[in-house]
Amino acid sequence: MADTATSREREPILKRPRKPSIGRRQLGVLPVAMITYFNVSGGPWGSEPIISSCGPLIGILAVSIFPWIWCLPTALLFAELFSAFPTDSSFCTWVGLAFGRPMGFHVGYWSWVGGVIDNAIYPCLIVDSIISITSGGILGGQDISNENTAFGVKFAARVSIAILFMVPTLFSIKIVGRTMLVLAIIVAMPFVVLVVVAIPQVNPSNWLVVSEDVRV
């Protein structure tokens, strides 16, 4: 009986007619790459603890090897599944076919909930970073040391930034892709400047240093 019920749950998905994909392409490779990048990363942060904890040698090896042993197989897996099931529901369809439609719904719903919670972090990080840099607030140096005022200003700024990032999604996926390209340039520029400034000070001998804490 359980197998019969599972078959009935999967049948509507399996028999769903596929629409031709010709003319449906809305994004190029670069916008898709940027959307994926911001979905899983949000910026080139996170390498500092690796270097400071393990040393440059292990940090460089980890950053160089990890994409090949984890990211590449994952990308190939997704490419194969997307080619086999060219639908907009992506992993909801995959899970629905494997475990039944209820589980397909759950993975879609909880992924959406996780995305909402995760995306709520970034407006907070942006506002807190601006306040830390300006050391006086975000109102042209105005003192916001009062807790109530600080909370109100921070909350309003965070909501405004969240709405600003939400607006492109209300129009078209093309605008979202272009917005991601602009954001990628904005995020990368400080790091490009730091790299250019640091190049004259590079000492290759430091690349082989391993932290004392990880030596055997």
Side-chain angles (χ1 to χ4, degrees):
M1 293 295 293
D3 294 339
T4 304
T6 303
S7 299
R8 285 199 299 267
E9 291 174 353
R10 297 177 182 176
E11 187 175 2
I13 301 178
L14 291 171
K15 290 188 175 182
R16 184 178 301 166
R18 294 182 180 179
K19 298 179 181 179
S21 58
I22 299 176
R24 295 183 60 197
R25 182 173 179 177
Q26 299 291 325
L27 295 173
V29 175
L30 192 56
V32 170
M34 292 301 99
I35 291 175
T36 305
Y37 173 74
F38 280 104
N39 188 47
V40 300
S41 176
W45 290 276
S47 59
E48 296 89 346
I50 299 176
I51 303 299
S52 60
S53 300
C54 304
L57 178 60
I58 295 179
I60 292 173
L61 290 176
V63 173
S64 302
I65 296 175
F66 181 78
W68 297 99
I69 63 176
W70 174 260
C71 300
L72 180 60
T74 303
L76 295 175
L77 170 66
F78 272 74
E80 182 175 355
L81 287 171
F82 274 118
S83 300
F85 306 101
T87 63
D88 294 334
S89 55
S90 62
F91 54 81
C92 298
T93 297
W94 311 338
V95 175
L97 288 171
F99 303 105
R101 296 189 68 183
M103 292 307 298
F105 167 79
H106 276 290
V107 73
Y109 174 75
W110 290 112
S111 296
W112 173 77
V113 172
V116 171
I117 296 174
D118 179 65
N119 291 330
I121 297 173
Y122 298 107
C124 299
L125 290 176
I126 293 173
V127 173
D128 292 345
S129 298
I130 293 175
I131 292 177
S132 298
I133 292 172
T134 58
S135 300
I138 57 175
L139 300 178
Q142 180 179 344
D143 183 16
I144 58 170
S145 57
N146 181 272
E147 291 186 2
N148 294 329
T149 304
F151 175 80
V153 172
K154 288 181 180 179
F155 182 79
R158 290 167 179 170
V159 171
S160 300
I161 292 175
I163 293 175
L164 179 64
F165 287 142
M166 179 195 69
V167 168
T169 65
L170 301 178
F171 293 95
S172 71
I173 190 66
K174 289 184 178 180
I175 296 178
V176 174
R178 293 169 184 169
T179 303
M180 293 299 102
L181 286 174
V182 174
L183 286 177
I185 295 173
I186 294 174
V187 169
M189 283 305 298
F191 293 90
V192 172
V193 173
L194 288 175
V195 169
V196 172
V197 172
I199 285 177
Q201 307 177 43
V202 170
N203 184 0
S205 62
N206 292 331
W207 298 350
L208 303 179
V209 175
V210 178
S211 176
E212 295 286 346
D213 296 334
V214 297
R215 288 182 179 174
V216 179

